[in-house]
Amino acid sequence: MISTKSRLILKGKTKEHRINCLAIQSPLAGVSDHVFRKLIRKWAPKALLFTEMVNATSLNLGHGTKKIAKLSKELGPIGVQLFDYRPDAMAEAAKQAEAAGAFLIDINMGCPVKKISKKGGGSGLLKDASLAAKIVTTVANAVDIPVTVKTRLGWDEASSDPISFGLRLQDAGAQLLTLHGRTREQGFNGKADWESIAKVKAKLSIPVIANGDIRNPDNALQCLQQTNADGIMIGRGSMGAPWLIGQIDLAIRGEPIFKTPSAKEKIIITLEHLNGLIESNGDHGLLIARKHINWTISGFPGSSDLRKSLVRIESPFKAIKLLEESIKSVSS
Ligand SMILES: Cc1cc2nc3c(=O)[nH]c(=O)nc-3n(C[C@H](O)[C@H](O)[C@H](O)COP(=O)(O)O)c2cc1C
């Protein structure tokens, strides 16, 4: 594995896989669908983006295929994140995702949702390093593309040992480790512990990606400096701000950063997002769009009123009309 200042190189079985942008988009359940990814691409054409986490067993049973259906048509690298606790189910699903056009397979070892972790998947794997390693090896044997892991610092503070866990995954064949600087017990509380990420980075030979509380180009650079990580992953900061990965990429490259979109541009982005969700989901697209509307339509005069009106509207046609009118009436 080689990491340089501007790219990461992962070794697949038959060829190298280059990541030419050190700012990476998090997998975000309920958020990072293909419509969201298409928006991010405008500002970050080379970034590694992720699907929402996909249940491996469901994929094998033919459900959840929508999450990987359009991968081959998308521009740029897309990682498929899988979760489960059964190595063979994970391997089967990984093959499907590879055939669909995945750039890499990421294994979720951090999801705190009880339904998942109590069966042993997601963050449940933090309690069973042997099974976690077996999943990595089984999946890596099944596909040609790189296999990576996204995890947390541990199940709880008392049992946290991310260096041993990371080394175990590295030995099992993981090509890259993304570390969210919190334990499962913490959920999203407290501050992400970048110091602990730095300690893991210092011990592993595979690339380590720092994750947690990166919200803007300045603190992205701070995180890179503090952790010496090979890249950073951004989750919540990009919700409602599909341009953020692009801004952070430029900051890392030391290039001038474009301005955050104006009020008018934010409304245009929201309209595009809504249209994409309706195209993909029919009228239900409006319901899915509501959270994005809440996040993006903010921070400018009149945004609160516009947001409130938009989330009350029940017809996609009326929501589109209101956005179109707002684009005309807003000054910049
Ligand atoms: C709405 C939401 C959905 C998430 N879905 C996933 C997921 O599918 N897979 C995953 O590994 N992490 C998921 N996460 C965790 C994020 O990827 C990320 O690790 C976490 O939010 C910390 O990074 P941040 O501070 O940049 O948000 C999710 C987080 C949120 C808020």
Side-chain angles (χ1 to χ4, degrees):
M1 235 72 47
I2 307 150
S3 82
T4 69
K5 261 200 137 11
S6 60
R7 65 167 191 245
L8 292 168
I9 302 178
L10 309 184
K11 288 199 178 99
K13 270 200 202 113
T14 53
K15 60 175 182 158
E16 284 182 349
H17 291 245
R18 284 163 191 255
I19 301 172
N20 291 315
C21 172
L22 301 189
I24 298 173
Q25 169 65 50
S26 258
L28 291 169
V31 177
S32 63
D33 60 9
H34 71 98
V35 183
F36 183 70
R37 295 195 296 267
K38 190 172 170 191
L39 277 179
I40 291 186
R41 275 278 171 254
K42 290 184 159 199
W43 293 274
K46 294 177 184 164
L48 173 62
L49 312 181
F50 275 95
T51 60
E52 307 167 69
M53 61 180 181
V54 182
N55 180 329
T57 300
S58 297
L59 201 57
N60 297 335
L61 292 172
H63 316 302
T65 49
K66 194 174 170 198
K67 290 189 180 142
I68 60 166
K70 297 200 171 155
L71 288 186
S72 60
K73 296 199 182 99
E74 288 185 48
L75 300 173
I78 315 281
V80 172
Q81 191 193 53
L82 297 175
F83 73 90
D84 205 298
Y85 58 96
R86 287 166 285 215
D88 292 339
M90 291 291 266
E92 278 312 304
K95 282 192 222 165
Q96 261 199 72
E98 180 177 42
F103 175 81
L104 58 76
I105 302 295
D106 187 72
I107 300 175
N108 181 319
M109 299 194 189
C111 176
V113 173
K114 268 204 186 117
K115 212 168 77 181
I116 295 172
S117 65
K118 92 174 171 221
K119 284 189 190 160
S123 60
L125 288 166
L126 285 159
K127 287 180 161 177
D128 190 344
S130 301
L131 179 59
K134 185 162 185 215
I135 289 176
V136 170
T137 306
T138 312
V139 175
N141 286 337
V143 293
D144 284 345
I145 52 179
V147 174
T148 65
V149 173
K150 177 169 178 287
T151 188
R152 288 175 173 249
L153 294 177
W155 179 262
D156 56 18
E157 203 183 334
S159 62
S160 168
D161 186 2
I163 296 176
S164 303
F165 194 68
L167 288 170
R168 194 84 190 260
L169 301 175
Q170 174 176 289
D171 291 345
Q175 292 271 311
L176 173 148
L177 185 77
T178 302
L179 203 47
H180 175 189
R182 290 185 175 86
T183 60
R184 191 265 182 195
E185 191 181 42
Q186 278 179 293
F188 288 91
N189 296 324
K191 243 178 104 187
D193 174 3
W194 293 347
E195 273 316 308
S196 291
I197 298 176
K199 288 181 187 151
V200 176
K201 162 61 197 161
K203 294 287 181 198
L204 266 57
S205 56
I206 55 172
V208 172
I209 306 299
N211 171 239
D213 298 351
I214 297 165
R215 298 288 182 152
N216 56 56
D218 283 345
N219 87 334
L221 293 180
Q222 266 167 29
C223 179
L224 271 179
Q225 198 181 20
Q226 197 176 328
T227 57
N228 195 30
D230 300 280
I232 45 170
M233 183 179 270
I234 298 105
R236 289 166 296 172
S238 65
M239 295 180 352
W243 53 86
L244 183 64
I245 303 283
Q247 287 180 321
I248 292 178
D249 176 36
L250 290 169
I252 295 173
R253 289 173 199 278
E255 290 175 24
I257 302 170
F258 58 83
K259 270 197 193 149
T260 293
S262 64
K264 191 193 274 284
E265 286 163 338
K266 283 184 179 177
I267 304 172
I268 293 171
I269 291 164
T270 303
L271 177 60
E272 197 175 333
H273 205 156
L274 175 60
N275 276 327
L277 286 170
I278 291 170
E279 198 181 308
S280 173
N281 303 279
D283 285 3
H284 181 63
L286 177 59
L287 282 183
I288 304 173
R290 280 190 182 155
K291 55 181 173 267
H292 298 285
I293 290 170
N294 267 321
W295 295 326
T296 309
I297 303 291
S298 75
F300 57 86
S303 58
S304 166
D305 287 344
L306 177 56
R307 195 167 63 232
K308 282 183 197 148
S309 307
L310 280 166
V311 296
R312 270 196 226 112
I313 291 180
E314 290 190 356
S315 131
F317 174 74
K318 285 187 185 156
I320 290 171
K321 211 159 160 239
L322 177 55
L323 283 165
E324 284 172 347
E325 280 161 9
S326 307
I327 292 166
K328 282 187 210 137
S329 63
V330 77
S331 54
S332 65

